[in-house]
Amino acid sequence: MGIKAFIFDLDGVIVDTAKYHYLAWKKLANELGFEFTLEQNELFKGVSRKRCLEILLDIGNVTATQDQFDTWMVEKNEDYLAYIDKMDSSEILPDVPRVLNYLKGKDIPMALGSASKNARAILEKVGLISYFDYLVDGTNVTKAKPDPEVFLIGANKLGVPPNACVVFEDALAGIQAANNAGMTSIGIGDESILSEARYNYIDFTQISNDFLDRLIT
Ligand code: G6P
Ligand code: MG
């Protein structure tokens, strides 16, 4: 297929941090007097921190002053970072290191494409930072997925045309962003949610080295 570069989302693709985002948002919701369910947490995947808080306050029918909004953003992130601080390589999702090592061994450029402002810290905690030639994260993206910006910046930094890039994503908005960028999208997770992906796998254990070879030749 002539693929020359791979771009990875972080949360839900490389590590399962969605559970920590959930616990931190749930704590804030409970403090504000309402419940926040795992099902509602699905809406938060791939969505910026600010937008998540807006959605959370809508769910709880809470109106906030700008000061309160800012305070709650900081509070949620501090609670989230307390979980991140305890992370290590045991939290890398199955077979992610095998795929990263295989591609690295073939000198294939790789980038991260995430909405998270904590991406660098998380990759450092789990010991994967050195695999990535470039990180695109919440600190250098202005338009949220499904806008293709995050992945187009990644392709540009790697010096590879979009149609020669593969994107691994666990969120529908991320698959749409990859498709909008003209890239080959690979959904990681539930096929019924990620049906717009070009390929779909439940996790990286299903992604064989042969399949990677077919993409890059
Ligand atoms: C990822 C996650 C979202 C999260 C966003 C911002 O896209 O899937 O759930 O809200 O990053 O993360 P941050 O670490 O900056 O709060
Ligand atoms: Mg994700």
Side-chain angles (χ1 to χ4, degrees):
M1 267 187 71
I3 294 300
K4 297 205 163 13
F6 287 72
I7 306 178
F8 294 72
D9 174 48
L10 176 67
D11 296 289
V13 168
I14 293 176
V15 284
D16 178 19
T17 40
K19 61 188 176 202
Y20 300 137
H21 281 296
Y22 172 66
L23 291 171
W25 285 126
K26 182 176 161 58
K27 177 169 170 278
L28 179 61
N30 292 166
E31 279 168 19
L32 297 176
F34 63 95
E35 267 312 317
F36 177 57
T37 66
L38 270 172
E39 202 177 17
Q40 289 164 334
N41 192 55
E42 282 299 308
L43 301 172
F44 284 30
K45 291 188 175 173
V47 174
S48 74
R49 193 182 314 162
K50 180 167 175 280
R51 184 72 197 122
C52 287
L53 180 54
E54 289 166 358
I55 301 171
L56 190 83
L57 297 179
D58 273 353
I59 290 170
N61 250 319
V62 173
T63 47
T65 64
Q66 189 61 50
D67 273 1
Q68 284 173 318
F69 193 95
D70 295 345
T71 304
W72 293 336
M73 285 260 283
V74 170
E75 183 186 323
K76 184 270 170 180
N77 196 49
E78 282 172 357
D79 289 334
Y80 177 66
L81 286 177
Y83 292 110
I84 298 308
D85 200 45
K86 297 193 202 98
M87 283 181 90
D88 61 26
S89 60
S90 66
E91 298 207 37
I92 299 170
L93 288 169
D95 265 17
V96 169
R98 194 246 317 149
V99 169
L100 290 172
N101 276 317
Y102 190 72
L103 295 173
K104 199 78 190 160
K106 293 188 175 275
D107 279 333
I108 305 279
M110 291 185 271
L112 194 85
S114 166
S116 173
K117 293 187 167 152
N118 297 305
R120 179 174 292 276
I122 293 169
L123 286 176
E124 278 169 357
K125 282 302 279 186
V126 301
L128 292 179
I129 191 102
S130 63
Y131 285 93
F132 295 94
D133 300 287
Y134 196 81
L135 302 189
V136 192
D137 62 22
T139 65
N140 45 23
V141 163
T142 56
K143 296 181 208 126
K145 301 168 185 176
D147 190 283
E149 183 190 31
V150 58
F151 298 134
L152 291 174
I153 295 174
N156 185 260
K157 294 289 181 187
L158 296 178
V160 171
N163 65 3
C165 293
V166 154
V167 171
F168 294 108
E169 255 293 347
D170 71 313
L172 176 59
I175 292 295
Q176 292 167 337
N179 293 342
N180 289 337
M183 300 180 178
T184 299
S185 54
I186 302 187
I188 302 293
D190 190 336
E191 193 168 0
S192 63
I193 296 172
L194 306 173
S195 58
E196 293 174 34
R198 171 79 185 271
Y199 300 96
N200 201 270
Y201 294 99
I202 195 71
D203 61 26
F204 279 89
T205 66
Q206 306 297 307
I207 297 183
S208 67
N209 293 349
D210 280 355
F211 172 69
L212 297 171
D213 281 340
R214 284 201 297 279
L215 290 173
I216 60 189
T217 47

